[in-house]
């Protein structure tokens, strides 16, 4: 059903031993959307990502992807379904070249033909020309911004149906952050559905269709990017004004 949400999370509870990190969160990502999960340190953003990727089990609740209940589907099978996470920039393989890192992205979702692979690679290099210039450089010697680009590029090589980005602005200079956000918007505009996890409220809310605010394991607010940017409580807590 093309009108059904691509991702539907209902009352998701995740715990670390006896410590509950997510207290029953619900969120929806529709096909083609760019949705942001915004939260401060320790709010549970990474926990949400890991649970959606299948790296952490749920204590309660369910995850439906493309109409199918995947709550108990294993991590590698979720990748095969098209749920692909770009880890934070540090997640690139430091000893592998840019090209080898990109090829690692194809590992879980192999291409039907060489032409299809080449076409995808060209697209990724077009989005990130810097990666094209540095194909033979090892990942570990790239700048922070370049490593972030490589992490996203690698995820794109897996042809995500849902691309999950974990704090792509982390540790980067404002100019580089702006550039990364422009590219994220471009990837979305070209048809990839994106779930973005961020602390950078200003940039994320300006670019997103909708956002959810996560506070100590609970979703406390949601709305369009514009609505949340105008919300006094959000301004006060996340934009440092009011
Ligand atoms: P940050 O932006 O700082 O990465 P976050 O929003 O991603 O924060 P999480 O890493 O998801 O937050 O952590 C949510 C809560 O779960 C925190 O209270 C954290 O201390 C706790 N937590 C995370 N990982 C573990 C773990 N392996 N064992 C126990 N508690 C954990």
């Amino acid at each position: 059903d093309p009108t059904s949400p691509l991702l539907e999370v209902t009352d998701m509870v995740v715990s670390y031993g006896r410590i509950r990190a997510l207290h029953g969160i619900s969120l929806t990502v529709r096909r083609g959307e760019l949705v942001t999960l915004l939260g401060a340190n320790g709010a549970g953003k990474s926990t949400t990502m890991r649970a959606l990727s299948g790296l952490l089990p749920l204590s309660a609740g369910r995850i439906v992807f493309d109409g199918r209940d995947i709550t108990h589907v294993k991590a590698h099978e979720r990748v095969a379904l098209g749920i692909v996470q770009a880890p934070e920039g540090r997640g690139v393989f430091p000893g592998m070249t840019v090209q080898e890192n990109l090829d690692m992205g194809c590992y879980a979702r192999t291409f039907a033909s060489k032409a299809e692979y080449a076409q995808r690679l060209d697209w990724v290099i077009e989005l990130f020309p810097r990666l094209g210039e540095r194909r033979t450089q090892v990942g570990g010697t790239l700048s922070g911004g370049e490593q972030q680009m490589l992490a996203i590029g690698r995820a794109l090589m897996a042809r995500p149906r849902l691309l999950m980005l974990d704090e792509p602005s982390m540790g980067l200079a404002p100019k580089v952050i702006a550039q990364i956000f422009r590219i994220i918007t471009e990837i979305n505009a070209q048809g990839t559905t994106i779930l973005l996890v961020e602390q950078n409220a200003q940039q994320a809310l300006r670019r997103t269709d909708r956002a959810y605010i996560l506070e100590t394991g609970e979703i406390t607010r949601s709305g369009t990017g514009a609505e949340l940017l105008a919300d006094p409580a959000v301004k006060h807590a996340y934009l440092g004004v009011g």
Side-chain angles (χ1 to χ4, degrees):
D1 177 5
T3 63
S4 72
L6 185 59
L7 177 74
E8 193 152 34
V9 178
T10 312
D11 301 326
M12 180 164 77
V13 177
V14 176
S15 307
Y16 296 102
R18 288 161 59 191
I19 302 166
R20 207 165 247 215
L22 298 178
H23 301 274
I25 68 165
S26 299
L27 61 91
T28 300
V29 182
R30 301 191 190 97
R31 289 160 215 276
E33 269 190 320
L34 169 52
V35 172
T36 301
L37 186 62
L38 196 65
N41 282 92
K45 303 183 299 297
S46 301
T47 301
T48 304
M49 284 294 206
R50 288 199 288 268
L52 295 178
S53 296
L55 301 172
L56 280 175
L58 274 63
S59 315
R62 66 184 203 136
I63 306 169
V64 173
F65 181 73
D66 199 15
R68 170 175 170 192
D69 189 331
I70 59 154
T71 313
H72 303 291
V73 168
K74 290 194 172 64
H76 68 273
E77 288 166 24
R78 294 191 201 190
V79 177
L81 291 173
I83 303 174
V84 180
Q85 181 181 349
E88 217 200 283
R90 327 294 169 265
V92 308
F93 300 108
M96 290 186 179
T97 65
V98 165
Q99 182 66 57
E100 287 163 349
N101 265 281
L102 290 174
D103 288 342
M104 286 303 286
C106 320
Y107 163 75
R109 293 193 89 199
T110 47
F111 286 91
S113 68
K114 278 203 163 158
E116 203 189 320
Y117 162 79
Q119 194 179 19
R120 191 75 185 179
L121 185 61
D122 284 350
W123 178 60
V124 170
I125 299 292
E126 209 175 288
L127 286 166
F128 300 104
R130 189 71 72 84
L131 297 182
E133 294 158 15
R134 289 165 190 264
R135 270 183 216 216
T136 58
Q137 186 173 331
V138 291
T141 61
L142 296 173
S143 73
E146 290 163 355
Q147 291 192 24
Q148 188 56 61
M149 293 175 192
L150 181 54
I152 299 173
R154 191 178 74 194
L156 289 175
M157 288 305 293
R159 287 161 299 153
R161 298 184 57 214
L162 176 68
L163 174 63
M164 301 200 297
L165 300 173
D166 194 359
E167 301 203 40
S169 75
M170 171 101 97
L172 303 181
K175 247 176 86 173
V176 183
I177 293 175
Q179 189 184 1
I180 298 258
F181 272 101
R182 267 199 305 278
I183 297 170
I184 290 170
T185 313
E186 177 63 24
I187 293 166
N188 176 245
Q190 292 196 32
T192 305
T193 306
I194 298 178
L195 177 60
L196 171 68
V197 163
E198 260 300 334
Q199 292 199 48
N200 190 322
Q202 187 73 49
Q203 287 282 345
L205 291 180
R206 272 173 46 203
R207 303 249 174 209
T208 201
D209 290 317
R210 292 184 305 111
Y212 294 88
I213 303 219
L214 187 63
E215 289 177 349
T216 55
E218 282 177 272
I219 286 173
T220 53
R221 275 185 155 67
S222 64
T224 65
E227 279 165 1
L228 292 174
L229 270 174
D231 184 326
V234 173
K235 278 189 182 169
H236 180 69
Y238 295 94
L239 301 169
V241 290

